[in-house]
Amino acid sequence: MNSEINLLFPYQLGNLKLPNRTIMAPLTRNRAGEGNVPYQLNVTYYVQRATAGLIITEATQVSPQGLGYPNTPGIHSPEQIAGWKLVTDAVHREGGRIFLQLWHVGRISHPDLQPEGALPVAPSAIKPSGEAMTYEGMKPFVTPRALDTSEIPGIVEQFRKGAENALEAGFDGVEIHSANGYLIDQFLRDGTNQRTDKYGGSIENRARLLLEITEAVIDVWGAKRVGVRLSPSGTYNDMHDSYPQETFGYTGMALNQFDLAYLHLLEPSEADLRHGGNPIPTNYFRPMYQGTLMVNWDYDQAKANAILAKGDADLVSFGKLFIANPDLPKRFELNAPLNQPDPATFYGGTDKGYIDYPFLSQTKV
Ligand code: 8OZ
């Protein structure tokens, strides 16, 4: 217990000095431009939030195959790299730090979104329940195509190339999206992975893809500029696992070998509890993971300060609060009132609910 530590304390993340521990969580907003290219609207949004200890961008597909939603940005074309460069330059000019989140959705896609109308790929041909968000609205998920063993090096290469492109685009680091039921998470959990090759079966095998991707991305960036995000208790995107404590205990332990920038944990949500998951408390990870732990789930300032003081986490990321409060660290510092986020404008659209939340200085008192 160190009651002096709070969200406004600086944090040394490798050789990157964070001015505070109030992190902007990765947030899908579906507002990239034509060709899934970031543009001026996105620049304004990120620059407004440059006082975060660290910005983690929205999930960004590493390849056309990795796409699963309309208007999410990519990091695989020259235009996308150039678009992201506008964002990183502007955030740096404002004194901020920004990591890109590398993403492949796996089965959470639809032929309408895939190159040449192909089936989405996955560890096993298991259809998620629910619907994909296509350009023509929601459509039922399809049964994905199981990746052949010979295709796995190509998946690792997609992440390596994405990492190289992120470096070229001027980011400060990258986060590997291994959470929320997307491709890497589909490999980790036995509900979606029924493979019989070296990428399925035992947890050592199911974690192999994540570890190979992590190594490839570290080759590009160095370990201290690479984070990994996991959702050990998550049920989102029709996910389940028979032995989550073992699955994620092994995964957390295995990630120790890399000396990463951080491990980012999504904590159990109300929905996960309702779905009868087997939620794993965050302090399960603290003794087994030796590096920096970042946590996320509906924290407010008091709860976040409490977990930092207790020592169960080093950094806290905020989603909805950063959507609605571009100057969140300042508001925490002044104990100022918070703008309320409007869920109707979370996904898609333009300025409204994206770049028009007022700063404190614009708030009438
Ligand atoms: C909300 C809508 C679409 C995608 C995630 C990337 O859950 C997402 C996502 C969230 O990690």
PDB file of all heavy atoms in Angstrom, residues 26-30 58-59 69 72 101 103 105 133 177 179-182 229 236-237 266 347, ligand 1:
ATOM      1  N   PRO A  26      -7.804   1.948 -25.808  1.00  0.00           N
ATOM      2  CA  PRO A  26      -8.140   1.792 -27.233  1.00  0.00           C
ATOM      3  C   PRO A  26      -9.652   1.789 -27.419  1.00  0.00           C
ATOM      4  O   PRO A  26     -10.359   1.067 -26.721  1.00  0.00           O
ATOM      5  CB  PRO A  26      -7.533   0.427 -27.596  1.00  0.00           C
ATOM      6  CG  PRO A  26      -7.325  -0.293 -26.310  1.00  0.00           C
ATOM      7  CD  PRO A  26      -7.166   0.746 -25.245  1.00  0.00           C
ATOM      8  N   LEU A  27     -10.138   2.601 -28.351  1.00  0.00           N
ATOM      9  CA  LEU A  27     -11.580   2.809 -28.517  1.00  0.00           C
ATOM     10  C   LEU A  27     -11.962   2.803 -29.985  1.00  0.00           C
ATOM     11  O   LEU A  27     -11.580   3.721 -30.726  1.00  0.00           O
ATOM     12  CB  LEU A  27     -11.961   4.171 -27.917  1.00  0.00           C
ATOM     13  CG  LEU A  27     -11.783   4.294 -26.409  1.00  0.00           C
ATOM     14  CD1 LEU A  27     -11.746   5.750 -25.990  1.00  0.00           C
ATOM     15  CD2 LEU A  27     -12.901   3.546 -25.692  1.00  0.00           C
ATOM     16  N   THR A  28     -12.703   1.812 -30.405  1.00  0.00           N
ATOM     17  CA  THR A  28     -13.202   1.760 -31.781  1.00  0.00           C
ATOM     18  C   THR A  28     -14.257   2.844 -31.971  1.00  0.00           C
ATOM     19  O   THR A  28     -15.214   2.929 -31.216  1.00  0.00           O
ATOM     20  CB  THR A  28     -13.772   0.362 -32.069  1.00  0.00           C
ATOM     21  OG1 THR A  28     -12.680  -0.550 -32.132  1.00  0.00           O
ATOM     22  CG2 THR A  28     -14.532   0.321 -33.389  1.00  0.00           C
ATOM     23  N   ARG A  29     -14.063   3.695 -33.000  1.00  0.00           N
ATOM     24  CA  ARG A  29     -14.990   4.806 -33.225  1.00  0.00           C
ATOM     25  C   ARG A  29     -15.551   4.820 -34.650  1.00  0.00           C
ATOM     26  O   ARG A  29     -16.412   5.650 -34.966  1.00  0.00           O
ATOM     27  CB  ARG A  29     -14.286   6.157 -32.929  1.00  0.00           C
ATOM     28  CG  ARG A  29     -13.648   6.275 -31.550  1.00  0.00           C
ATOM     29  CD  ARG A  29     -14.604   6.113 -30.364  1.00  0.00           C
ATOM     30  NE  ARG A  29     -15.792   6.915 -30.439  1.00  0.00           N
ATOM     31  CZ  ARG A  29     -15.918   8.170 -29.983  1.00  0.00           C
ATOM     32  NH1 ARG A  29     -14.883   8.758 -29.408  1.00  0.00           N
ATOM     33  NH2 ARG A  29     -17.055   8.828 -30.083  1.00  0.00           N
ATOM     34  N   ASN A  30     -15.044   3.959 -35.531  1.00  0.00           N
ATOM     35  CA  ASN A  30     -15.578   3.818 -36.902  1.00  0.00           C
ATOM     36  C   ASN A  30     -15.687   5.145 -37.645  1.00  0.00           C
ATOM     37  O   ASN A  30     -16.701   5.440 -38.277  1.00  0.00           O
ATOM     38  CB  ASN A  30     -16.951   3.131 -36.868  1.00  0.00           C
ATOM     39  CG  ASN A  30     -16.928   1.807 -36.136  1.00  0.00           C
ATOM     40  OD1 ASN A  30     -17.066   1.769 -34.913  1.00  0.00           O
ATOM     41  ND2 ASN A  30     -16.700   0.729 -36.844  1.00  0.00           N
ATOM     42  N   GLU A  58      -7.371   3.395 -31.197  1.00  0.00           N
ATOM     43  CA  GLU A  58      -8.389   2.416 -31.553  1.00  0.00           C
ATOM     44  C   GLU A  58      -7.733   1.218 -32.254  1.00  0.00           C
ATOM     45  O   GLU A  58      -6.657   1.341 -32.852  1.00  0.00           O
ATOM     46  CB  GLU A  58      -9.395   3.071 -32.487  1.00  0.00           C
ATOM     47  CG  GLU A  58      -8.787   3.531 -33.807  1.00  0.00           C
ATOM     48  CD  GLU A  58      -9.553   4.706 -34.411  1.00  0.00           C
ATOM     49  OE1 GLU A  58     -10.545   4.482 -35.128  1.00  0.00           O
ATOM     50  OE2 GLU A  58      -9.146   5.858 -34.152  1.00  0.00           O
ATOM     51  N   ALA A  59      -8.404   0.075 -32.185  1.00  0.00           N
ATOM     52  CA  ALA A  59      -7.917  -1.129 -32.851  1.00  0.00           C
ATOM     53  C   ALA A  59      -7.761  -0.848 -34.344  1.00  0.00           C
ATOM     54  O   ALA A  59      -8.655  -0.276 -34.976  1.00  0.00           O
ATOM     55  CB  ALA A  59      -8.891  -2.280 -32.621  1.00  0.00           C
ATOM     56  N   TYR A  69     -15.146  -4.448 -39.428  1.00  0.00           N
ATOM     57  CA  TYR A  69     -16.178  -3.423 -39.220  1.00  0.00           C
ATOM     58  C   TYR A  69     -15.970  -2.308 -40.237  1.00  0.00           C
ATOM     59  O   TYR A  69     -14.832  -2.068 -40.663  1.00  0.00           O
ATOM     60  CB  TYR A  69     -16.050  -2.785 -37.825  1.00  0.00           C
ATOM     61  CG  TYR A  69     -16.138  -3.747 -36.666  1.00  0.00           C
ATOM     62  CD1 TYR A  69     -15.023  -4.457 -36.240  1.00  0.00           C
ATOM     63  CD2 TYR A  69     -17.334  -3.928 -35.967  1.00  0.00           C
ATOM     64  CE1 TYR A  69     -15.092  -5.337 -35.160  1.00  0.00           C
ATOM     65  CE2 TYR A  69     -17.416  -4.789 -34.886  1.00  0.00           C
ATOM     66  CZ  TYR A  69     -16.293  -5.494 -34.495  1.00  0.00           C
ATOM     67  OH  TYR A  69     -16.367  -6.349 -33.426  1.00  0.00           O
ATOM     68  N   THR A  72     -13.041   1.291 -39.803  1.00  0.00           N
ATOM     69  CA  THR A  72     -11.961   1.228 -38.818  1.00  0.00           C
ATOM     70  C   THR A  72     -10.653   1.463 -39.578  1.00  0.00           C
ATOM     71  O   THR A  72     -10.520   1.066 -40.740  1.00  0.00           O
ATOM     72  CB  THR A  72     -11.917  -0.134 -38.107  1.00  0.00           C
ATOM     73  OG1 THR A  72     -11.795  -1.179 -39.075  1.00  0.00           O
ATOM     74  CG2 THR A  72     -13.186  -0.358 -37.282  1.00  0.00           C
ATOM     75  N   GLN A 101      -2.686   0.311 -31.647  1.00  0.00           N
ATOM     76  CA  GLN A 101      -3.135  -1.050 -31.336  1.00  0.00           C
ATOM     77  C   GLN A 101      -3.253  -1.876 -32.622  1.00  0.00           C
ATOM     78  O   GLN A 101      -4.006  -1.526 -33.543  1.00  0.00           O
ATOM     79  CB  GLN A 101      -4.477  -1.047 -30.589  1.00  0.00           C
ATOM     80  CG  GLN A 101      -4.704  -2.420 -29.928  1.00  0.00           C
ATOM     81  CD  GLN A 101      -6.109  -2.644 -29.417  1.00  0.00           C
ATOM     82  OE1 GLN A 101      -7.076  -2.331 -30.120  1.00  0.00           O
ATOM     83  NE2 GLN A 101      -6.238  -3.167 -28.210  1.00  0.00           N
ATOM     84  N   TRP A 103      -4.307  -5.132 -34.805  1.00  0.00           N
ATOM     85  CA  TRP A 103      -5.560  -5.891 -34.707  1.00  0.00           C
ATOM     86  C   TRP A 103      -5.802  -6.789 -35.908  1.00  0.00           C
ATOM     87  O   TRP A 103      -5.565  -6.379 -37.055  1.00  0.00           O
ATOM     88  CB  TRP A 103      -6.678  -4.860 -34.632  1.00  0.00           C
ATOM     89  CG  TRP A 103      -8.067  -5.254 -34.312  1.00  0.00           C
ATOM     90  CD1 TRP A 103      -8.491  -6.245 -33.487  1.00  0.00           C
ATOM     91  CD2 TRP A 103      -9.257  -4.582 -34.769  1.00  0.00           C
ATOM     92  NE1 TRP A 103      -9.875  -6.227 -33.397  1.00  0.00           N
ATOM     93  CE2 TRP A 103     -10.359  -5.226 -34.176  1.00  0.00           C
ATOM     94  CE3 TRP A 103      -9.483  -3.490 -35.615  1.00  0.00           C
ATOM     95  CZ2 TRP A 103     -11.675  -4.818 -34.409  1.00  0.00           C
ATOM     96  CZ3 TRP A 103     -10.792  -3.084 -35.834  1.00  0.00           C
ATOM     97  CH2 TRP A 103     -11.875  -3.749 -35.241  1.00  0.00           C
ATOM     98  N   VAL A 105      -9.213  -9.296 -36.737  1.00  0.00           N
ATOM     99  CA  VAL A 105     -10.483  -9.701 -36.119  1.00  0.00           C
ATOM    100  C   VAL A 105     -10.758 -11.202 -36.215  1.00  0.00           C
ATOM    101  O   VAL A 105     -11.640 -11.713 -35.532  1.00  0.00           O
ATOM    102  CB  VAL A 105     -11.690  -8.956 -36.734  1.00  0.00           C
ATOM    103  CG1 VAL A 105     -11.577  -7.455 -36.512  1.00  0.00           C
ATOM    104  CG2 VAL A 105     -11.860  -9.299 -38.212  1.00  0.00           C
ATOM    105  N   MET A 133     -21.132  -6.391 -38.313  1.00  0.00           N
ATOM    106  CA  MET A 133     -21.517  -5.043 -38.747  1.00  0.00           C
ATOM    107  C   MET A 133     -20.957  -4.836 -40.149  1.00  0.00           C
ATOM    108  O   MET A 133     -19.749  -4.676 -40.314  1.00  0.00           O
ATOM    109  CB  MET A 133     -20.917  -4.019 -37.771  1.00  0.00           C
ATOM    110  CG  MET A 133     -21.502  -2.629 -37.857  1.00  0.00           C
ATOM    111  SD  MET A 133     -20.483  -1.423 -36.954  1.00  0.00           S
ATOM    112  CE  MET A 133     -20.745  -1.910 -35.265  1.00  0.00           C
ATOM    113  N   HIS A 177      -3.392  -6.513 -29.864  1.00  0.00           N
ATOM    114  CA  HIS A 177      -4.767  -6.771 -29.407  1.00  0.00           C
ATOM    115  C   HIS A 177      -4.992  -8.284 -29.353  1.00  0.00           C
ATOM    116  O   HIS A 177      -5.224  -8.928 -30.366  1.00  0.00           O
ATOM    117  CB  HIS A 177      -5.749  -6.110 -30.365  1.00  0.00           C
ATOM    118  CG  HIS A 177      -7.160  -6.020 -29.845  1.00  0.00           C
ATOM    119  ND1 HIS A 177      -7.598  -6.721 -28.729  1.00  0.00           N
ATOM    120  CD2 HIS A 177      -8.230  -5.290 -30.264  1.00  0.00           C
ATOM    121  CE1 HIS A 177      -8.880  -6.428 -28.515  1.00  0.00           C
ATOM    122  NE2 HIS A 177      -9.290  -5.568 -29.429  1.00  0.00           N
ATOM    123  N   ALA A 179      -7.295  -9.559 -27.149  1.00  0.00           N
ATOM    124  CA  ALA A 179      -8.454  -9.584 -26.240  1.00  0.00           C
ATOM    125  C   ALA A 179      -9.752  -9.622 -27.034  1.00  0.00           C
ATOM    126  O   ALA A 179      -9.756  -9.654 -28.270  1.00  0.00           O
ATOM    127  CB  ALA A 179      -8.420  -8.335 -25.353  1.00  0.00           C
ATOM    128  N   ASN A 180     -10.867  -9.667 -26.295  1.00  0.00           N
ATOM    129  CA  ASN A 180     -12.210  -9.397 -26.826  1.00  0.00           C
ATOM    130  C   ASN A 180     -12.669 -10.288 -27.978  1.00  0.00           C
ATOM    131  O   ASN A 180     -13.501  -9.896 -28.797  1.00  0.00           O
ATOM    132  CB  ASN A 180     -12.333  -7.921 -27.241  1.00  0.00           C
ATOM    133  CG  ASN A 180     -12.258  -7.015 -26.032  1.00  0.00           C
ATOM    134  OD1 ASN A 180     -12.371  -7.499 -24.896  1.00  0.00           O
ATOM    135  ND2 ASN A 180     -12.069  -5.735 -26.238  1.00  0.00           N
ATOM    136  N   GLY A 181     -12.104 -11.489 -28.060  1.00  0.00           N
ATOM    137  CA  GLY A 181     -12.641 -12.443 -29.025  1.00  0.00           C
ATOM    138  C   GLY A 181     -12.156 -12.250 -30.439  1.00  0.00           C
ATOM    139  O   GLY A 181     -12.746 -12.801 -31.380  1.00  0.00           O
ATOM    140  N   TYR A 182     -11.071 -11.483 -30.642  1.00  0.00           N
ATOM    141  CA  TYR A 182     -10.510 -11.350 -31.985  1.00  0.00           C
ATOM    142  C   TYR A 182      -9.466 -12.457 -32.213  1.00  0.00           C
ATOM    143  O   TYR A 182      -9.319 -13.353 -31.390  1.00  0.00           O
ATOM    144  CB  TYR A 182      -9.990  -9.919 -32.192  1.00  0.00           C
ATOM    145  CG  TYR A 182     -11.141  -8.939 -32.066  1.00  0.00           C
ATOM    146  CD1 TYR A 182     -11.267  -8.109 -30.957  1.00  0.00           C
ATOM    147  CD2 TYR A 182     -12.169  -8.938 -33.010  1.00  0.00           C
ATOM    148  CE1 TYR A 182     -12.377  -7.274 -30.810  1.00  0.00           C
ATOM    149  CE2 TYR A 182     -13.277  -8.100 -32.871  1.00  0.00           C
ATOM    150  CZ  TYR A 182     -13.382  -7.273 -31.770  1.00  0.00           C
ATOM    151  OH  TYR A 182     -14.473  -6.466 -31.634  1.00  0.00           O
ATOM    152  N   ARG A 229      -2.633  -6.770 -24.819  1.00  0.00           N
ATOM    153  CA  ARG A 229      -3.921  -6.658 -24.134  1.00  0.00           C
ATOM    154  C   ARG A 229      -4.633  -8.000 -24.103  1.00  0.00           C
ATOM    155  O   ARG A 229      -4.753  -8.665 -25.136  1.00  0.00           O
ATOM    156  CB  ARG A 229      -4.806  -5.641 -24.840  1.00  0.00           C
ATOM    157  CG  ARG A 229      -6.027  -5.255 -24.018  1.00  0.00           C
ATOM    158  CD  ARG A 229      -6.805  -4.121 -24.646  1.00  0.00           C
ATOM    159  NE  ARG A 229      -7.372  -3.259 -23.618  1.00  0.00           N
ATOM    160  CZ  ARG A 229      -8.570  -2.671 -23.708  1.00  0.00           C
ATOM    161  NH1 ARG A 229      -9.313  -2.840 -24.780  1.00  0.00           N
ATOM    162  NH2 ARG A 229      -9.011  -1.904 -22.743  1.00  0.00           N
ATOM    163  N   TYR A 236     -17.413 -11.350 -24.445  1.00  0.00           N
ATOM    164  CA  TYR A 236     -17.776 -10.595 -25.641  1.00  0.00           C
ATOM    165  C   TYR A 236     -17.335 -11.354 -26.899  1.00  0.00           C
ATOM    166  O   TYR A 236     -16.288 -12.007 -26.903  1.00  0.00           O
ATOM    167  CB  TYR A 236     -17.091  -9.231 -25.557  1.00  0.00           C
ATOM    168  CG  TYR A 236     -17.360  -8.279 -26.683  1.00  0.00           C
ATOM    169  CD1 TYR A 236     -18.642  -7.813 -26.928  1.00  0.00           C
ATOM    170  CD2 TYR A 236     -16.318  -7.831 -27.481  1.00  0.00           C
ATOM    171  CE1 TYR A 236     -18.875  -6.921 -27.962  1.00  0.00           C
ATOM    172  CE2 TYR A 236     -16.537  -6.933 -28.513  1.00  0.00           C
ATOM    173  CZ  TYR A 236     -17.825  -6.492 -28.749  1.00  0.00           C
ATOM    174  OH  TYR A 236     -18.047  -5.601 -29.767  1.00  0.00           O
ATOM    175  N   ASN A 237     -18.137 -11.268 -27.949  1.00  0.00           N
ATOM    176  CA  ASN A 237     -17.878 -11.997 -29.200  1.00  0.00           C
ATOM    177  C   ASN A 237     -17.944 -13.511 -29.015  1.00  0.00           C
ATOM    178  O   ASN A 237     -17.204 -14.269 -29.651  1.00  0.00           O
ATOM    179  CB  ASN A 237     -16.538 -11.577 -29.840  1.00  0.00           C
ATOM    180  CG  ASN A 237     -16.647 -10.250 -30.571  1.00  0.00           C
ATOM    181  OD1 ASN A 237     -17.706  -9.938 -31.116  1.00  0.00           O
ATOM    182  ND2 ASN A 237     -15.586  -9.473 -30.579  1.00  0.00           N
ATOM    183  N   LEU A 266      -8.215  -6.388 -19.344  1.00  0.00           N
ATOM    184  CA  LEU A 266      -9.622  -6.014 -19.229  1.00  0.00           C
ATOM    185  C   LEU A 266     -10.202  -6.827 -18.085  1.00  0.00           C
ATOM    186  O   LEU A 266     -10.103  -8.054 -18.075  1.00  0.00           O
ATOM    187  CB  LEU A 266     -10.365  -6.328 -20.520  1.00  0.00           C
ATOM    188  CG  LEU A 266     -10.327  -5.203 -21.533  1.00  0.00           C
ATOM    189  CD1 LEU A 266     -10.364  -5.738 -22.931  1.00  0.00           C
ATOM    190  CD2 LEU A 266     -11.500  -4.271 -21.297  1.00  0.00           C
ATOM    191  N   TYR A 347     -20.046   4.925 -32.140  1.00  0.00           N
ATOM    192  CA  TYR A 347     -19.581   4.229 -33.350  1.00  0.00           C
ATOM    193  C   TYR A 347     -20.125   4.898 -34.605  1.00  0.00           C
ATOM    194  O   TYR A 347     -21.330   4.932 -34.825  1.00  0.00           O
ATOM    195  CB  TYR A 347     -20.039   2.768 -33.324  1.00  0.00           C
ATOM    196  CG  TYR A 347     -19.642   2.057 -32.042  1.00  0.00           C
ATOM    197  CD1 TYR A 347     -20.609   1.621 -31.141  1.00  0.00           C
ATOM    198  CD2 TYR A 347     -18.302   1.849 -31.726  1.00  0.00           C
ATOM    199  CE1 TYR A 347     -20.244   0.980 -29.961  1.00  0.00           C
ATOM    200  CE2 TYR A 347     -17.928   1.222 -30.551  1.00  0.00           C
ATOM    201  CZ  TYR A 347     -18.896   0.789 -29.673  1.00  0.00           C
ATOM    202  OH  TYR A 347     -18.535   0.175 -28.509  1.00  0.00           O
TER     203      TYR A 347
HETATM  204  C1  8OZ B   1     -16.493  -2.089 -30.062  1.00  0.00           C
HETATM  205  C2  8OZ B   1     -16.947  -2.168 -31.367  1.00  0.00           C
HETATM  206  C3  8OZ B   1     -16.132  -2.718 -32.313  1.00  0.00           C
HETATM  207  C4  8OZ B   1     -14.882  -3.194 -31.980  1.00  0.00           C
HETATM  208  C5  8OZ B   1     -12.869  -4.348 -29.024  1.00  0.00           C
HETATM  209  C6  8OZ B   1     -12.063  -3.460 -31.116  1.00  0.00           C
HETATM  210  O1  8OZ B   1     -13.828  -4.682 -28.331  1.00  0.00           O
HETATM  211  C7  8OZ B   1     -13.084  -3.630 -30.301  1.00  0.00           C
HETATM  212  C8  8OZ B   1     -14.441  -3.126 -30.664  1.00  0.00           C
HETATM  213  C9  8OZ B   1     -15.256  -2.562 -29.714  1.00  0.00           C
HETATM  214  O2  8OZ B   1     -11.703  -4.602 -28.680  1.00  0.00           O
END
